[in-house]
Amino acid sequence: MSNTAITVAHGDGIGPEIMAATLHILKESGALLDIETIEIGEKVYLSGNAAGIAPESWKSLRRTKVFLKAPITTPQGGGYKSLNVAVRKTLGLYANVRPCVSYYPFIETKHPVMDVVIVRENEEDLYAGIEYRQTQQVEECLKLISRPGSEKIIRYAFEYAKKFNRKKVTCFIKDNIMKQTDGLFHEIFEEISAEYPNIEGDHWIVDIGAAKMADTPEKFDVIVMPNLYGDILSDVAAQIAGSVGLAGSSNIGENVAMFEAIHGSAPRRAGQNLANPSGLFLGAMLTLVHIGQTDVAEKAHNAWLRTIEDGVHTYDIYKEGVSKEKVGTREFAEAVVARLGQKPETLKAVEYKQDTAEAAKEKPIFSTPEPQKKELVGVDVFLDWWKGKFYGVANELGALVEAVNGDGLKLQTIANRGVKVYPDGFADTFTVDHWRCRFVPDAGEGNAIDHQQIISLLLRFDDAGLDVIKTENLYNFDGKHGYSV
Ligand code: NAD
C-alpha cells in the first residue's frame, strides 16, 4: 500500500501539543502518510488574513483532499471570519459527523450505554446567513432547506449506517410547525429510508426527540438533523456522553473531508503538557478510516481504548478511585503506543472493515428533479406600518390596503407575525410594525395571475404611501400549494 497525502494544521493553544501526540501514535501504528503542514489560525488572522487561512493553504487542501486540523484560537474583536465556516462552505463539506460514545465505568458519565452518531447537515437551514432588518421592530433570518441538500445528508446518514453496521437512523425535525421546510426534510427521509429495508428508519419531533436523547441515549443509533438542531444537539450528545474532551468529528464533502476534535484551543492549558489529545486522536481515527487505512485505525483505536481502560488518564478525565495514573499529553501518547496490538477487555473493541472507507461515495448522492408545473397564484406583500400602538390598529390598516385592490387582485387577509388580524381579527391581538398582506385573484384562489399584476399592485401601494418591505410570490407546483395557508 502506498502513502496517502494529507494536510495537517497544528493550530493554536493546546493544538500543537495534541497534534504532536496524535501524529506520534499514528506513526508508531504504521499509518502510511505523506504529511503536508499548513499554518492556520491566530497568526494568520493577525497577519491581516480575515479568514485565518492563507491562499496557498487552499492549494494543499485541494491537492490532498484530506485535512486533519487541530483547534485554533479566533482572535477577540470584530472582522475575523470563522475558519471552520470558510473551510466548510468553500469546500462544500455538507456532512458533519460526530460519534458520541461513553466509556463507562472508566470515564464518568450519566449514560453508561451510549454510542450515538450525530449526522448534521452543514450547509443550509438558518445557517445560510441571509438576514435582514425589515422594520424598526423586526429582523428576519431565512431558513432554506433544499431537496438536493437534504438528499445528500440523509443518504449519507443511511450509507454511514450501512457501512458501519448500525441498525437504525432517526430523523429529528419540527414539521408540525415548519410544514414546508422541515416537512421536506422529513418527506425525503421517508423516501430514502424506504431504500434501506435492513435499517430501521424512525423520526421524532426535535423537542421530544432531544429530551429522549438526553434521557435514554441508548435507544438511539444514528441521528440525522438539519443544521441548527444538529449544531445544538451534537454538543448535548457529546456532553452527556461525559466526554466533550474526548470526541472527534468529521466534515465530509463530495471531494474533500476535514477531521478535528470538537473542543477548542483551551489557551489556559497551552504549553503545559496537560491537554488530553484524545479528541484529536479520535478525529485522526476517522481520517484513517476515510482514506482506507482501516487496519491501522483498528490497531490504534483499540490501543487507545485499552489505555483508557487501564486508567491512564489526563487531568480532565482523572478520577480518584477509578483512574490509576495521572499523565500528561506526551505520556498519554506513549501509553497508547505501548499498548499497540492490545485490545480492550471490558469496553467493546472497534472493528473497521476495509469497505467502511468513504461511506457515502457509492451512490449518486442526489437526484435531478423532474420538472413540475409551476403557477403564480398570488402574492404576499409585506409592509412596515406603525401607528404607535401594539393593539387594535389592524382594521385601520385593512381599510388602507383594501383601497389598493384592483387589476384582478384582491386582499384576502392581513397577518402579523403569522397571526391573522384582518378581516375579523381581535382587538386584543398583539401586533408589531411588520404586516403580511395576502393578495389572491378576483377570480378565486388557485387561478393564475401574472407578474404585471404584481408590479401594478406595488405601484398602487406606493401611490397610497404604504412602505412595502418585501414580497413573496405564491406558487402552486403541479397544483399543490407551495406556501403556508
Ligand atoms: P475550549 O474547548 O477550548 O475549552 C473549554 C474547556 O475545556 C476549558 O476548560 C478547557 O481547558 C477544557 N479543554 C478543552 N479541550 C481540552 C483538552 N483537549 N484537554 C483538556 N481540557 C480541555 O473552548 P473555549 O475556551 O470556549 O475556546 C477557546 C478558544 O478555542 C477560542 O478562541 C475559540 O474560538 C476556539 N475554538 C476553536 C474551535 C476549533 O478550532 N474547531 C472550536 C471551539 C472553540
Side-chain angles (χ1 to χ4, degrees), residues 14 18 69-76 84 244-245 260-269 274-279 314-316:
I14 59 171
I18 59 175
K69 171 184 163 289
I72 59 153
T73 303
T74 311
Q76 297 288 315
N84 269 18
V244 178
E260 60 184 343
I262 69 166
H263 59 73
S265 59
R268 284 188 310 129
R269 307 289 179 193
L274 279 174
N276 187 346
S278 298
T314 44
Y315 84 92
D316 56 313

Side-chain angles (χ1 to χ4, degrees), residues 36-53:
E36 293 187 12
T37 303
I38 61 168
E39 181 89 56
I40 56 164
E42 205 170 16
K43 262 192 251 155
V44 185
Y45 279 118
L46 295 176
S47 76
N49 184 308
I53 175 165

Side-chain angles (χ1 to χ4, degrees), residues 10-21 70-71:
H10 291 252
D12 301 314
I14 59 171
E17 296 160 72
I18 59 175
M19 184 58 87

Side-chain angles (χ1 to χ4, degrees), residues 141-346:
C141 175
L142 290 186
K143 170 163 167 138
L144 299 178
I145 300 277
S146 77
R147 172 166 271 277
S150 305
E151 285 183 12
K152 284 201 287 189
I153 191 69
I154 294 166
R155 188 174 298 287
Y156 183 88
F158 277 95
E159 282 295 305
Y160 181 98
K162 192 168 119 188
K163 289 293 169 66
F164 288 92
N165 206 17
R166 299 258 170 184
K167 306 289 178 240
K168 181 159 86 168
V169 179
T170 304
C171 165
F172 281 2
I173 21 70
K174 187 80 186 172
D175 61 344
N176 55 334
I177 303 294
M178 282 159 282
K179 297 186 169 71
Q180 292 194 220
T181 47
D182 283 22
L184 176 64
F185 197 87
H186 188 178
E187 179 185 318
I188 294 169
F189 178 82
E190 298 298 342
E191 284 169 21
I192 293 179
S193 176
E195 294 176 34
Y196 295 84
N198 297 325
I199 298 168
E200 189 188 342
D202 184 19
H203 65 88
W204 286 98
I205 297 294
V206 60
D207 40 36
I208 188 65
K212 279 189 181 290
M213 184 194 78
D215 186 50
T216 46
E218 62 275 14
K219 300 240 166 85
F220 294 92
D221 196 344
V222 175
I223 310 178
V224 63
M225 285 179 260
N227 208 340
L228 175 64
Y229 314 144
D231 189 6
I232 298 167
L233 293 178
S234 59
D235 269 13
V236 173
Q239 182 73 37
I240 64 170
S243 57
V244 178
L246 291 182
S249 78
S250 53
N251 290 272
I252 307 286
E254 269 184 80
N255 300 308
V256 181
M258 173 172 87
F259 303 87
E260 60 184 343
I262 69 166
H263 59 73
S265 59
R268 284 188 310 129
R269 307 289 179 193
Q272 298 161 64
N273 191 38
L274 279 174
N276 187 346
S278 298
L280 185 61
F281 169 81
L282 292 173
M285 295 303 98
L286 300 171
T287 314
L288 290 179
V289 172
H290 179 79
I291 62 177
Q293 297 191 22
T294 44
D295 46 347
V296 186
E298 193 170 303
K299 184 168 150 192
H301 199 154
N302 282 325
W304 177 85
L305 286 166
R306 182 61 182 261
T307 309
I308 294 295
E309 200 176 88
D310 284 347
V312 182
H313 292 168
T314 44
Y315 84 92
D316 56 313
I317 54 172
Y318 186 87
K319 188 152 188 280
E320 213 61 60
V322 178
S323 307
K324 302 263 165 23
E325 197 185 337
K326 193 189 269 181
V327 293
T329 314
R330 282 193 295 274
E331 294 72 26
F332 182 83
E334 288 305 346
V336 177
V337 168
R339 287 166 179 76
L340 287 168
Q342 297 182 34
K343 286 190 172 172
E345 287 172 344
T346 306

